[in-house]
Amino acid sequence: MTLPFSPAHHILADLEAIDRVVAGLLVVHTLWLASFLVGILTLLVLKNDRVHDDRPFEIGVDFIIATALGICEVIGGEYILGTLGLFNWPACSSLYLIAFAGLTLHLRRSGMSATALFKAISRPLNVFRSRAILLLYLIAIIESAPAILPPVAWDSTMYHLPNAVNWAHAGRIYADEFLRIPYFAYNFELIYALMFSYHLDRYVLFVGWLPFVCSAFAIQLATASLLSRFILPGSA
């Protein structure tokens, strides 16, 4: 047992905070990977398996679009399940696996080999070969720490969480007439509800980290492209 103001107490508190940051980052990276995989498979279907050039800007654009598209598909699937009263982690996981398997099967039946499919999926990940992107990623990792600091670490009465908590508990999307906040089943509110349905409430606010880092990547890629094209031609 340690005293509240002893050095050992502060060390233990710091270690617990670090553990929560690491766990939260693992959770949001799992969401990121799942969204990216479905998004890139959808992108390959929409592009009819066409392979674009390997310029850093094109690779980065495909990476960001695949992530955003995957998140939209996850949100859309959640909305459908929520309106059907099937908003729970087994149903969400099953729907995701069905979508992933269906897209993969479609690409394979269209004549895409397993090797070509793997290369097409892994190609956008080359965006992390850029030193600027890696630097932004490391900065974003540091910026994720506030997600575990009070009051956001445990305050589920924040304006964007009550509906998400209710939907996860009820297993469906509905309007709570006793909540004095607007009812909108939109975007990341559904992702928050998904986190609660997986009993990951301690890490729900890490979800906001994902659009932050993707936005930073997009700004860097656009800026680098403009600089290389109009200000420093031939430098790229």
Side-chain angles (χ1 to χ4, degrees), residues 30-32 34-35 38 67-97 99 160-161 163-174 183-200 204 207 210:
T30 301
L31 172 64
W32 192 357
S35 301
V38 170
T67 300
L69 186 59
I71 290 175
C72 290
E73 291 179 272
V74 169
I75 290 172
E78 289 180 70
Y79 187 80
I80 293 172
L81 291 176
T83 55
L84 295 175
L86 298 172
F87 197 99
N88 53 69
W89 72 264
C92 290
S93 299
S94 299
L95 185 61
Y96 174 83
L97 292 175
H160 61 298
L161 291 183
N163 276 326
V165 173
N166 285 347
W167 297 340
H169 287 169
R172 63 186 178 90
I173 295 174
Y174 69 98
Y183 159 69
F184 298 113
Y186 66 95
N187 299 345
F188 271 75
E189 189 167 29
L190 288 167
I191 297 291
Y192 294 139
L194 179 67
M195 297 286 283
F196 283 115
S197 71
Y198 278 92
H199 306 289
L200 296 171
V204 66
V207 170
L210 186 51

Side-chain angles (χ1 to χ4, degrees), residues 82-224:
T83 55
L84 295 175
L86 298 172
F87 197 99
N88 53 69
W89 72 264
C92 290
S93 299
S94 299
L95 185 61
Y96 174 83
L97 292 175
I98 290 171
F100 181 84
L103 290 168
T104 303
L105 185 61
H106 173 81
L107 289 168
R108 295 285 283 118
R109 285 185 172 178
S110 67
M112 197 173 194
S113 67
T115 302
L117 181 59
F118 176 79
K119 288 181 177 179
I121 291 174
S122 59
R123 174 181 162 274
L125 297 177
N126 287 328
V127 69
F128 289 100
R129 296 176 64 179
S130 165
R131 285 175 290 184
I133 291 294
L134 279 177
L135 178 61
L136 285 174
Y137 177 72
L138 292 175
I139 293 173
I141 292 288
I142 297 172
E143 290 289 332
S144 69
I148 60 131
L149 300 176
V152 298
W154 51 78
D155 187 2
S156 62
T157 63
M158 294 174 67
Y159 73 95
H160 61 298
L161 291 183
N163 276 326
V165 173
N166 285 347
W167 297 340
H169 287 169
R172 63 186 178 90
I173 295 174
Y174 69 98
D176 190 338
E177 60 186 37
F178 298 103
L179 286 178
R180 295 187 177 184
I181 58 173
Y183 159 69
F184 298 113
Y186 66 95
N187 299 345
F188 271 75
E189 189 167 29
L190 288 167
I191 297 291
Y192 294 139
L194 179 67
M195 297 286 283
F196 283 115
S197 71
Y198 278 92
H199 306 289
L200 296 171
D201 49 293
R202 295 186 67 187
Y203 313 111
V204 66
L205 295 182
F206 276 91
V207 170
W209 179 86
L210 186 51
F212 165 74
V213 70
C214 287
S215 299
F217 286 3
I219 293 171
Q220 191 281 328
L221 290 166
T223 303

Side-chain angles (χ1 to χ4, degrees), residues 35-45 62 66-67 107 120-121 124:
S35 301
F36 169 77
L37 288 176
V38 170
I40 191 61
L41 290 173
T42 305
L43 201 58
L44 290 172
V45 171
D62 282 351
T67 300
L107 289 168
I121 291 174

